[in-house]
Amino acid sequence: MNPSLEPVIAFLQTVHPYDTLPQDELARVAGSFSRREYQSGEEVYHAGEPLKGLYLIKRGSVEVMEPSGQVISLLGPRNSFGERGLARDGLAVTTARVTEDSVLLMLPVAEYRHLVSTLPAFERFFSRGRGTENKTGDLTVQKVSDLMASRKPIAVAAGDSIRVAAQKMRDARVSSLGVLEGERFVGIVTTRDMTNKVLAGGLDPAGPVSEIMTPDPISLSPESLGSDILHIMLERRIGHLPVVEAGRLVGMVTQTDLTRFQAVSSAQLVRDASMADSVADLAAVTARIPKLLVQLVGGNNAHEVVTRLITDIADTVTRRLLAMAEAQLGPAPVPYLWLACGSQGRQEQTGVSDQDNCLMLDDAVTEADMAYFHALAKIVCDGLDACGYVYCPGDMMATNPRWCQPVRVWHDYFRGWIAKPDPMAQMLASVMFDLRPIGGQASLFKTLQHETLDMAARNSIFVAHMVANSLKHTPPLGLLRGFATIRSGEHKNHIDMKHNGVVPIVDLGRVYALVGQLEPANTRARLLAAENAGVISQSGARDLIEAYDLIAETRLENQARLVRSGRKPDNFLAPSDLSDFERSHLRDAFVVVRTMQSAVGQARGAKG
């Protein structure tokens, strides 16, 4: 292999869908890329020009603009652009310009089209983006239910006084109220009504609010589109629209909501995090993730796109905290690598995630140097906790001295777990097989990853134990086509969509990656790679991937629903919240997972 390609290959292994390619094909594709440097403000291409290829950001930032000059996307590292033009007639349909000194990799047109036409993973990934570059930022195609403020609408009774209404608006910090007669929505009152009709008009504040409300105002249903809001607001010159369902007020959409929606994008959050000056600034960025989740789910994005974009924010926050730590402590005494495991390692974070991480240190590290790395780990882990990535309950963090060690010790860890796969070793190996470099010297991990996959795959006893470990989490299937729900406690009659939903598939994907010595950490990428490598049959892979897609998307939709209702997202779903059709399909997906678990268990049993 050409040594000059190694940095490109290492980078592509962190970018989907390139991370699904076999090693030899990845090396070939890496050799097709050309490296290009741009200065801040320089155009990459202009709308209407022939495109030379697909662009991938290695370092820097790129803004993508419509021909009108409107910015529709702000992209950071590992984002691709230009595919819309390549999917059409080869002409750029947008203008791309770097906003800071940047390094881009360009894949020639012929190679791009070859990959898309021959590899399902590439076709699925890039076809999703065609014609939808600004889909998630286009509020016109969003449902009204996704645009409403998350809190419940504030309302007053028609007989309440104007003063009471004004006090409610002040206390809730809102600019409008619904007016009700019993449960029936009858009108709306705004701060403009207070100004024009009470202050300027001289009405008595003790009078009923019904005197100043707008009766029977125009309203929309939750299923209306954002375009309906824009058209009504522009045509009628109003800034508040009640959302009504069966005569009941269920929400209020304001111009502020529209502005807030357009201001939230993963690229903007990544940029804001990368420029943050303090932990408080970073926490303000991550506080916007639930709104981003609602927006991305409402835009009908695939679950692996949603979780990847959310994980990108966590990666950026982590790297910013590492930079803050080095600014405080000074340069590191030896090279180091910060890695994430768990959902961040697999690039599968949702609206609720804790932190799982570790530090690998160059073998030249001394005992005296360790104080520096313990201090660095504390700064970063404390910062992540302050940003909502709570401390790992199992203490799988770099602040634990066990997980802050030289590379040679990490080699010993994995050798020991593989040689003696007791239950604790199985658990630790399961977590650590999902490691992904985040910041520092990535080469510290490369040799370890190759050695560990090879050593583990050749140890049939270890593989058998890992298979057994993967079967501990089972889908929530009950008798008579029902679900096995939680029987007591806070989440009674709910399904745990994490531990009984996605985790069984995550565990299967890890086993397939181990058996096939596949490098991807992302679950969906592992399933695709397992199919391509023949680890599982094509039909089995298709069924399992479709089941995973349905389960993961149902989990995200439930989290978005919780956020819209003003609650924190979690992993617990009440089957009663689903339609009969949805329940039937979700159960069928769980049956597929159970079937694949049985197949894995039987195959390992036969070999044992």
Side-chain angles (χ1 to χ4, degrees):
M1 181 187 298
N2 186 343
S4 64
L5 289 181
E6 292 183 1
V8 179
I9 294 172
F11 175 67
L12 292 179
Q13 286 174 326
T14 70
V15 180
H16 190 66
Y18 303 98
D19 57 1
T20 66
L21 292 173
Q23 193 66 23
D24 56 346
E25 179 68 358
L26 179 64
R28 187 193 67 77
V29 172
S32 299
F33 277 94
S34 59
R35 185 179 187 275
R36 304 191 172 200
E37 296 184 4
Y38 293 84
Q39 294 183 344
S40 179
E42 187 177 353
E43 278 192 0
V44 181
Y45 57 74
H46 196 83
E49 293 179 353
L51 281 166
K52 298 178 180 179
L54 177 75
Y55 291 87
L56 174 62
I57 304 172
K58 190 172 189 297
R59 186 179 74 243
S61 177
V62 174
E63 59 182 7
V64 179
M65 298 169 286
E66 293 284 14
S68 64
Q70 179 184 0
V71 177
I72 59 174
S73 297
L74 182 63
L75 307 175
R78 297 191 305 283
N79 280 308
S80 297
F81 61 96
E83 64 268 28
R84 283 177 62 190
L86 293 177
R88 297 182 181 182
D89 53 9
L91 298 179
V93 295
T94 56
T95 295
R97 181 172 60 201
V98 301
T99 59
E100 59 185 83
D101 291 352
S102 301
V103 175
L104 308 182
L105 300 178
M106 191 195 76
L107 187 69
V109 175
E111 182 63 28
Y112 165 78
R113 289 180 173 159
H114 168 72
L115 292 172
V116 170
S117 64
T118 59
L119 297 176
F122 278 77
E123 193 280 330
R124 280 190 294 269
F125 183 83
F126 288 109
S127 65
R128 275 201 184 98
R130 288 203 288 267
T132 59
E133 254 179 40
N134 69 331
K135 181 176 182 181
T136 59
D138 185 357
L139 64 85
T140 63
V141 298
Q142 303 294 317
K143 287 185 179 181
V144 166
S145 57
D146 294 325
L147 296 169
M148 294 187 300
S150 61
R151 56 186 162 191
K152 294 181 180 179
I154 310 299
V156 291
D160 285 345
S161 70
I162 296 170
R163 178 174 286 108
V164 167
Q167 290 170 342
K168 274 199 170 186
M169 293 170 74
R170 177 200 64 195
D171 295 342
R173 296 183 179 180
V174 295
S175 56
S176 62
L177 294 173
V179 183
L180 310 179
E181 285 185 353
E183 295 293 324
R184 187 169 64 91
F185 172 68
V186 296
I188 184 175
V189 61
T190 68
T191 51
R192 180 177 294 180
D193 295 325
M194 295 288 184
T195 301
N196 295 344
K197 298 177 183 179
V198 182
L199 293 178
L203 286 181
D204 184 0
V209 73
S210 57
E211 289 186 6
I212 65 169
M213 74 177 187
T214 300
D216 299 319
I218 187 169
S219 62
L220 293 173
S221 75
E223 296 303 307
S224 300
L225 296 179
S227 57
D228 299 323
I229 301 173
L230 291 174
H231 295 163
I232 292 172
M233 285 187 171
L234 291 171
E235 181 180 347
R236 300 184 179 239
R237 298 183 181 180
I238 57 178
H240 305 78
L241 264 175
V243 182
V244 178
E245 188 172 32
R248 297 167 64 95
L249 180 69
V250 296
M252 189 79 70
V253 177
T254 69
Q255 289 180 339
T256 301
D257 294 327
L258 302 186
T259 301
R260 185 185 300 115
F261 180 89
Q262 289 180 303
V264 178
S265 73
S266 63
Q268 187 61 53
L269 266 60
V270 164
R271 183 171 179 81
D272 290 349
S274 67
M275 299 175 66
D277 292 324
S278 67
V279 173
D281 290 343
L282 287 172
V285 173
T286 56
R288 293 149 60 192
I289 290 177
K291 179 63 72 173
L292 174 66
L293 172 70
V294 169
Q295 179 173 323
L296 292 172
V297 172
N300 296 317
N301 287 279
H303 68 90
E304 69 269 23
V305 173
V306 177
T307 55
R308 171 62 180 269
L309 293 176
I310 290 176
T311 304
D312 283 349
I313 298 167
D315 291 355
T316 305
V317 169
T318 304
R319 284 190 285 268
R320 189 72 192 104
L321 287 167
L322 286 168
M324 290 179 180
E326 288 194 24
Q328 179 178 334
L329 301 172
V334 298
Y336 70 87
L337 177 63
W338 185 280
L339 302 100
C341 43
S343 60
Q344 185 183 2
R346 297 189 304 273
Q347 296 178 302
E348 293 167 5
Q349 288 194 316
T350 65
V352 51
S353 297
D354 59 4
Q355 58 174 291
D356 300 278
N357 45 61
C358 64
L359 269 170
M360 291 184 182
L361 312 177
D362 189 279
D363 283 337
V365 68
T366 67
E367 189 62 35
D369 295 331
M370 295 305 294
Y372 176 96
F373 292 108
H374 293 325
L376 180 138
K378 179 170 175 53
I379 291 171
V380 176
C381 290
D382 287 352
L384 288 171
D385 180 71
C387 291
Y389 305 103
V390 298
Y391 298 121
C392 173
D395 204 18
M396 302 284 286
M397 298 182 296
T399 47
N400 182 339
R402 186 178 186 185
W403 310 127
C404 177
Q405 292 290 339
V407 172
R408 63 177 181 276
V409 175
W410 281 101
H411 279 271
D412 291 341
Y413 283 164
F414 277 97
R415 290 191 191 103
W417 296 332
I418 293 168
K420 297 180 180 179
D422 58 33
M424 178 59 72
Q426 295 168 36
M427 185 275 290
L428 294 174
S430 294
V431 173
M432 294 303 176
F433 270 117
D434 294 348
L435 285 172
R436 182 172 61 88
I438 303 297
Q441 190 71 41
S443 61
L444 294 177
F445 178 60
K446 200 63 186 173
T447 303
L448 175 63
Q449 184 182 34
H450 286 308
E451 176 188 304
T452 300
L453 283 172
D454 178 63
M455 184 170 26
R458 288 188 287 104
N459 188 320
S460 59
I461 296 176
F462 176 75
V463 173
H465 278 85
M466 289 293 288
V467 168
N469 189 63
S470 74
L471 304 180
K472 291 180 179 178
H473 293 99
T474 58
L477 293 169
L479 300 175
L480 303 176
R481 292 197 59 79
F483 294 100
T485 58
I486 297 170
R487 295 183 179 180
S488 61
E490 178 185 359
H491 302 296
K492 183 179 180 181
N493 298 325
H494 286 66
I495 297 170
D496 186 336
M497 292 296 290
K498 177 181 178 182
H499 290 101
N500 300 112
V502 298
V503 166
I505 309 171
V506 169
D507 290 343
L508 284 173
R510 189 182 297 114
V511 168
Y512 297 146
L514 176 61
V515 172
Q517 299 185 50
L518 309 173
E519 293 188 1
N522 175 266
T523 298
R524 201 174 193 278
R526 279 172 166 170
L527 299 180
L528 289 168
E531 176 188 3
N532 293 335
V535 176
I536 46 177
S537 69
Q538 186 174 25
S539 60
R542 292 293 94 199
D543 288 346
L544 186 56
I545 289 171
E546 289 181 11
Y548 180 45
D549 288 346
L550 178 63
I551 293 167
E553 284 167 8
T554 302
R555 178 193 184 198
L556 287 176
E557 287 165 0
N558 183 59
Q559 290 190 2
R561 185 162 50 242
L562 291 172
V563 173
R564 287 196 299 269
S565 67
R567 290 177 286 174
K568 290 184 177 181
D570 61 33
N571 291 303
F572 300 96
L573 168 70
S576 58
D577 288 342
L578 303 176
S579 67
D580 289 343
F581 180 82
E582 291 169 326
R583 285 196 297 271
S584 176
H585 279 271
L586 182 60
R587 192 181 190 282
D588 289 344
F590 287 141
V591 169
V592 169
V593 179
R594 174 70 65 82
T595 301
M596 295 301 289
Q597 285 184 321
S598 298
V600 167
Q602 291 171 5
R604 285 298 115 187
K607 290 183 179 181

